[in-house]
Amino acid sequence: MLELTMAAVTAADAGATAGMQMADAPSEPGAVLRVGRDKSVCRLSTPDDWLFVSRVHLEFRCGPDGTWQLTWLRGSQPDPSSEVRLVVGEYAQPVAYGGTVPLPRGGSGEIVVQDRTGPRSVNVGFYHEV
């Protein structure tokens, strides 16, 4: 099971948990969870006017062996207006635009989507229960 919690944070809201959203999916091959502005395909959605987040920005997909991976999907623009990083404990790893990284099996952490033009971010916490 992969559990996600998401908070959309502005500088004024730092530390607040209001508006938190949650989603989960079983660790079965082909299971998918998406994060973005399009509520019709994303289980976790950001405000419509947060254009630094694509319609479908992040995709969590379960592989054939029950492990999960994160993909930062390429949007309609050649250069993104955000940065994405994976944080596990003290370790932070940037995720490349269009890139895929594995999530630690049985681990937890956070994916941070940071607006390059202002003090806003989307923080997606994850917990992989095995």
Side-chain angles (χ1 to χ4, degrees), residues 46-112:
T46 62
D48 291 336
D49 62 344
W50 282 32
L51 300 180
F52 71 98
V53 177
S54 301
R55 250 179 81 279
V56 182
H57 201 84
L58 302 175
E59 181 177 85
F60 297 82
R61 181 174 295 273
C62 187
D65 59 355
T67 59
W68 287 85
Q69 62 183 19
L70 164 70
T71 300
W72 179 7
L73 301 170
R74 288 180 90 58
S76 58
Q77 302 298 318
D79 294 316
S81 55
S82 63
E83 296 173 355
V84 176
R85 68 185 176 277
L86 169 65
V87 181
V88 177
E90 298 295 316
Y91 178 72
Q93 168 187 354
V95 179
Y97 187 44
T100 300
V101 296
L103 297 180
R105 184 173 179 82
S108 63
E110 184 175 45
I111 293 89
V112 179

Side-chain angles (χ1 to χ4, degrees), residues 9-15 118-121:
V9 182
T10 63
D13 297 333
R120 297 182 296 183
S121 67

